[in-house]
Amino acid sequence: MDVRTTGGSADHALPGWSQILTEYGLTADDLPDGLVVADESGRVICFNTAAARITALRPPAVIGLPIEQALPLEDLDGRRWWTITDPYRGLATRTGQPERNLLLPGGREVLVSAKYVRTHPGGPVHRLVVALRGTEARRRTERSHAELIATVAHELRSPLTSVKGFTATLLAKWERFTEDQKKLMLETVDADANRITRLIAELLDISRIDSGRLEVRRQPVDIAAAVQRHVDAMVAAGQRADRFAVRVGGPLPALWADPDKIDQILGNLLENAVRHGEGTVTIEVAPAPSKDQTEGTAVTVSDEGPGIPEESVSRVFTRFWRGSKRGGTGLGLYIVKGIVEAHGGTITVGRAPGSGAQFRFILPVGAPAFMA
């Protein structure tokens, strides 16, 4: 059973790898990662298409070469990797090398791991199997983390500057201000402290969503009452009452969900509609089948604004997406999607019947087992 390459090289048998590949009618070129195999003498006998793409080398040019010539890798300190690791003459108890970031000639970065296949435990290396991966995915993750840090730093700077400025002023000149001036400054400090608290809560939610540790504490939730409560709060905060239309189609199934998380979803969607949309914001609540066709509840939030451009729809629920330049961290909809999915639900975005954006999420009833 041979592992074949498109380069037409004469390959040697690879127990395990070749058995799996042959069983499913695959070749080494079907592997998504780069695969380089050297024989017992250290000469390359397999160099698949992915390895060629990652290294920018042609398989015919490297087949038969010593591995250290075919892949002249260096670590980030400029040391030759094969000299350091010495797979063929090193300790006979070693089984391989963990993945690490190494450099090809010209400074091209590549993620490399190695497996030492021995004829028997403690015996000589029979095959050296090297896996190669590009660094693009890791770089995207690093850029995402850098963007998150930059966003957090930017969003924290303004309220913290305000809090520091007002508290310093009050401490230094307390007697010079009237009671009304003091109250105004303290209200501003309180509002900015709340803004900081919300941002920290968003960061914690993102961390839990990314790590799959977002906890859902299910309780009976009156979703229609929750919607009305959020609308009333927005009206109390200065929005016109006639800007909102709440429609409830019933009877609604008994919903078990995390009430705090439901408040986050509704708060984000309504704030998004008010801030980025125009006209009447319509909230519809109705029974609907969930993704597994069990009982569920659907909530639809629509506005009459310009809507979301077609080319942006696929990015709406990603980090840092902003529908306009009207503020916001660009994290709210990412968190909303994570919370909905943690409940086993789904969320979609589209165009409202007239115009504007329409967000619709469906939550399964989620009743506990003892009520089934």
Side-chain angles (χ1 to χ4, degrees), residues 205 209 214 216 265 317 332-344 347:
D205 285 335
I209 290 169
L214 187 66
V216 174
I265 295 172
F317 297 109
L333 292 177
Y334 177 81
I335 293 171
V336 164
K337 182 173 184 289
I339 293 174
V340 169
E341 291 179 348
H343 279 82
I347 184 167

Side-chain angles (χ1 to χ4, degrees), residues 43-264:
R43 294 186 177 275
V44 176
I45 59 174
C46 175
F47 200 90
N48 73 349
T49 301
R53 183 187 71 251
I54 293 169
T55 63
L57 297 172
R58 295 175 56 251
V62 295
I63 294 294
L65 289 179
I67 187 72
E68 63 270 16
Q69 292 182 24
L71 287 176
L73 297 164
E74 294 183 352
D75 65 16
L76 300 183
D77 295 323
R79 297 174 297 181
R80 295 186 180 278
W81 194 58
W82 297 115
T83 302
I84 297 171
T85 58
D86 196 12
Y88 290 93
R89 292 176 295 276
L91 292 174
T93 56
R94 294 183 303 172
T95 59
Q97 293 289 333
E99 186 176 72
R100 63 189 64 195
N101 200 1
L102 299 175
L103 301 175
L104 288 166
R108 184 184 180 93
E109 293 186 18
V110 61
L111 297 171
V112 181
S113 58
K115 173 70 176 178
Y116 303 160
V117 181
R118 301 182 183 276
T119 54
H120 57 273
V125 173
H126 177 64
R127 293 286 187 270
L128 173 62
V129 182
V130 180
L132 305 176
R133 291 198 299 135
T135 58
E136 292 80 7
R138 178 173 291 185
R139 287 189 177 280
R140 283 195 297 270
T141 300
E142 290 173 350
R143 281 196 298 270
S144 178
H145 290 163
E147 288 175 4
L148 181 59
I149 293 171
T151 298
V152 171
H154 176 75
E155 292 295 327
L156 285 175
R157 181 182 301 161
S158 177
L160 282 175
T161 300
S162 172
V163 169
K164 177 62 178 175
F166 278 121
T167 52
T169 301
L170 286 170
L171 287 171
K173 304 176 181 179
W174 180 266
E175 297 81 4
R176 300 185 186 182
F177 296 108
T178 66
E179 291 302 314
D180 288 341
Q181 289 173 325
K182 293 174 183 176
K183 181 180 179 182
L184 177 61
M185 285 190 279
L186 288 173
E187 286 175 343
T188 303
V189 169
D190 183 62
D192 285 331
N194 288 337
R195 182 177 166 189
I196 294 170
T197 301
R198 285 195 302 271
L199 180 59
I200 292 172
E202 286 184 347
L203 293 176
L204 291 173
D205 285 335
I206 288 174
S207 174
R208 295 184 184 111
I209 290 169
D210 289 346
S211 63
R213 293 185 293 106
L214 187 66
E215 294 184 3
V216 174
R217 296 181 172 87
R218 296 184 186 273
Q219 302 175 31
V221 173
D222 186 338
I223 189 73
V227 168
Q228 190 61 54
R229 186 172 65 252
H230 278 271
V231 169
D232 293 342
M234 288 201 151
V235 172
Q239 294 295 327
R240 300 190 326 271
D242 62 359
R243 189 173 182 189
F244 301 95
V246 179
R247 300 170 184 166
V248 179
L252 298 174
L255 175 66
W256 284 70
D258 189 318
D260 293 335
K261 299 291 189 292
I262 295 300
D263 282 339
Q264 275 186 273

Side-chain angles (χ1 to χ4, degrees), residues 269 299 313 316-317 340 346-350 358-362:
L269 292 182
V299 179
V313 169
V316 166
F317 297 109
V340 169
T346 58
I347 184 167
T348 57
V349 60
Q358 182 181 83
F359 289 87
R360 186 172 193 257
F361 67 90
I362 302 175

